[in-house]
Amino acid sequence: HLVESGGGLVQAGGSLRLSCAASGRTFSNYAMGWFRQAPGKEREFVSAINWSGSFTYYANSVKGRFTISRDNAENAVYLQMNSLKPEDTAVYYCAGKPSGAANVAALRYDYWGQGTQVTVSS
């Protein structure tokens, strides 16, 4: 069970920090990912992190602006988003996969949160 929070309305150039709280004792075994879906568009990969946090991956569109991290003791994964752009506007989803290796493909993830809206105004 995954629950996202931290979305909202922000001006271009601003920052937001998304959080994803996970329930269950095996969170530390899971790779976690963030995906987003804008209106009229397909869901796209944003970032992923392996079970230990030692490997992270980013879409080219967010590289250098977004940072993914996790706290296995708190069963949480985070997405720090800086220098936000209007094109970052979307519903952001947290996802988990039992295998510890991160992956950029949404199909590899078994568990999804309900999403949190991020709106960036110009």
Side-chain angles (χ1 to χ4, degrees), residues 38-77:
K41 295 187 177 181
E42 293 186 353
R43 189 169 298 189
E44 66 173 0
F45 168 76
V46 175
S47 184
I49 189 168
N50 74 330
W51 68 275
S52 67
S54 58
F55 291 98
T56 58
Y57 304 88
Y58 297 95
N60 287 336
S61 59
V62 306
K63 198 171 295 183
R65 299 188 297 122
F66 290 11
T67 302
I68 191 171
S69 61
R70 66 187 297 159
D71 185 338
N72 287 342
E74 296 294 328
N75 279 14
V77 62

Side-chain angles (χ1 to χ4, degrees), residues 7-61:
L9 173 64
V10 64
Q11 289 188 334
S15 298
L16 283 173
R17 187 191 194 211
L18 303 184
S19 298
C20 175
S23 58
R25 302 178 183 178
T26 59
F27 174 78
S28 59
N29 295 337
Y30 281 60
M32 301 298 295
W34 287 97
F35 294 79
R36 66 186 181 187
Q37 187 166 18
K41 295 187 177 181
E42 293 186 353
R43 189 169 298 189
E44 66 173 0
F45 168 76
V46 175
S47 184
I49 189 168
N50 74 330
W51 68 275
S52 67
S54 58
F55 291 98
T56 58
Y57 304 88
Y58 297 95
N60 287 336
S61 59

Side-chain angles (χ1 to χ4, degrees), residues 46-120:
V46 175
S47 184
I49 189 168
N50 74 330
W51 68 275
S52 67
S54 58
F55 291 98
T56 58
Y57 304 88
Y58 297 95
N60 287 336
S61 59
V62 306
K63 198 171 295 183
R65 299 188 297 122
F66 290 11
T67 302
I68 191 171
S69 61
R70 66 187 297 159
D71 185 338
N72 287 342
E74 296 294 328
N75 279 14
V77 62
Y78 308 100
L79 187 68
Q80 178 67 44
M81 306 187 296
N82 298 330
S83 302
L84 283 161
K85 304 175 181 179
E87 49 264 44
D88 294 319
T89 295
V91 177
Y92 282 71
Y93 297 91
C94 172
K97 58 186 294 289
S99 169
N103 199 290
V104 303
L107 290 176
R108 299 294 185 182
Y109 290 81
D110 295 330
Y111 303 100
W112 293 82
Q114 82 289 348
T116 185
Q117 177 70 46
V118 172
T119 303
V120 184

